[in-house]
Amino acid sequence: MDTFIAMMFSSEQEELYYLDCMGYFLIFMAACTFFTLLFENVPYGRHASSKYGFPVNVKFAWFVQELPAFMVPLCLVLWTSSAKTSQLPNRLLIAMYFCHYVQRSLVYPFLIRGGKPTPVVSFALAFVFCIYNGYMQIRYLSHYAEYPTGWVTHPCFIIGSALWLVGWLVNVHSDHILRNLRNPGETGYKIPRGGVFEYVSGANFLGEITEWAGFALAGYSVHSASFSIFTLVVLANRAVAHHRWYINKYEDYPKSRKALIPFVF
């Protein structure tokens, strides 16, 4: 794989330059996505629309679209000269990334119960994003990221890691609650209750936003920051759309429950 990457770039300096450009471009795309989502919800699940192409089975879509986010980084770590993986901060950040995507790509899709098909356009965009972001995050961390001595004891790393862990736990627990809303054979939607859902409609989204915000703080790079910003834009829209949908559908929906930030918004 080193040979393939060497064919793409004339030097390591050039590859690092393009990795930086990828981070800044993702921030630009987050801004474009933000303005687009002012007029349109993220088109999958209950907000799916036929105008975004033919439907793809939800389990198949989640597995295939998320798999590159695991496989591309795995190849980069195993089959390239990962010069920085011997450093503790890099190892821990890579572990955070893999912890999320092992669960998201190899576990989560097979636990889905029911669920609406995913429009092919949403499926394809997610697939491309996972390749793009997986390469950017792990290539930078495994081959280029340099952290000061003692970075793992720096407040940014400690607070960021704690945020990542809390976010990951909230995300996984919230997904568990959503999966178990229906009894076997039941269809339709129910009001989620328990955990962080007692405070916000988008508890699973809040968990993932928190997770990658912590990752960005601990990683302290344009690459991790751009991922966090893009995640915030997409999932905040999703949380607000869900909140409005619940309010319109259920007269008894909890009045004190917010969309994304407990007690605030």
Side-chain angles (χ1 to χ4, degrees):
M1 197 163 181
D2 276 327
T3 303
F4 175 73
I5 293 175
M7 292 171 60
M8 296 174 60
F9 306 102
S10 61
S11 66
E12 290 190 344
Q13 289 74 19
E14 183 181 50
E15 184 184 15
L16 180 57
Y17 170 77
Y18 279 107
L19 285 169
D20 292 344
C21 288
M22 289 174 72
Y24 289 115
F25 181 71
L26 188 57
I27 293 173
F28 170 74
M29 289 305 299
C32 294
T33 302
F34 172 79
F35 286 110
T36 301
L37 294 180
L38 291 176
F39 309 99
E40 185 71 61
N41 292 324
V42 180
Y44 71 90
R46 70 193 67 180
H47 307 293
S49 170
S50 59
K51 70 180 180 179
Y52 291 100
F54 62 85
V56 180
N57 176 272
V58 65
K59 287 189 176 184
F60 176 84
W62 270 106
F63 174 67
V64 174
Q65 76 189 28
E66 299 292 318
L67 191 60
F70 171 72
M71 292 303 301
V72 171
L74 185 66
C75 291
L76 289 171
V77 169
L78 295 181
W79 296 321
T80 67
S81 54
S82 306
K84 303 300 181 183
T85 52
S86 61
Q87 299 181 11
L88 184 57
N90 304 58
R91 283 185 177 184
L92 293 174
L93 287 161
I94 291 170
M96 292 179 201
Y97 177 93
F98 273 111
C99 187
H100 175 89
Y101 277 108
V102 165
Q103 196 278 336
R104 183 60 70 189
S105 61
L106 302 181
V107 177
Y108 174 81
F110 302 101
L111 296 177
I112 293 173
R113 296 181 181 178
K116 291 188 175 181
T118 301
V120 68
V121 172
S122 297
F123 166 66
L125 289 174
F127 181 82
V128 171
F129 174 80
C130 285
I131 295 173
Y132 183 100
N133 188 59
Y135 168 76
M136 178 177 65
Q137 299 301 330
I138 300 306
R139 183 60 176 171
Y140 175 72
L141 287 171
S142 67
H143 203 77
Y144 293 104
E146 296 260 8
Y147 293 101
T149 302
W151 178 247
V152 294
T153 61
H154 190 282
C156 286
F157 190 88
I158 294 172
I159 295 170
S161 298
L163 283 172
W164 176 86
L165 180 58
V166 169
W168 185 80
L169 291 172
V170 168
N171 181 243
V172 171
H173 183 245
S174 299
D175 282 343
H176 171 77
I177 290 173
L178 291 173
R179 275 195 303 273
N180 290 280
L181 285 176
R182 306 184 191 97
N183 294 320
E186 284 187 330
T187 59
Y189 292 97
K190 293 183 178 181
I191 298 174
R193 301 188 186 277
V196 182
F197 280 114
E198 293 300 314
Y199 306 97
V200 295
S201 300
N204 49 331
F205 305 128
L206 175 60
E208 191 162 348
I209 289 169
T210 303
E211 191 180 343
W212 296 122
F215 180 79
L217 183 59
Y220 215 74
S221 70
V222 66
H223 317 90
S224 57
S226 64
F227 184 21
S228 176
I229 293 167
F230 191 86
T231 299
L232 172 63
V233 168
V234 173
L235 296 189
N237 169 271
R238 190 82 175 152
V240 170
H242 273 36
H243 187 65
R244 290 173 179 165
W245 185 89
Y246 280 125
I247 289 174
N248 291 332
K249 185 173 179 63
Y250 299 105
E251 291 184 2
D252 61 338
Y253 195 69
K255 303 300 182 185
S256 61
R257 192 177 296 187
K258 301 299 182 181
L260 185 63
I261 304 174
F263 313 112
V264 178
F265 170 71

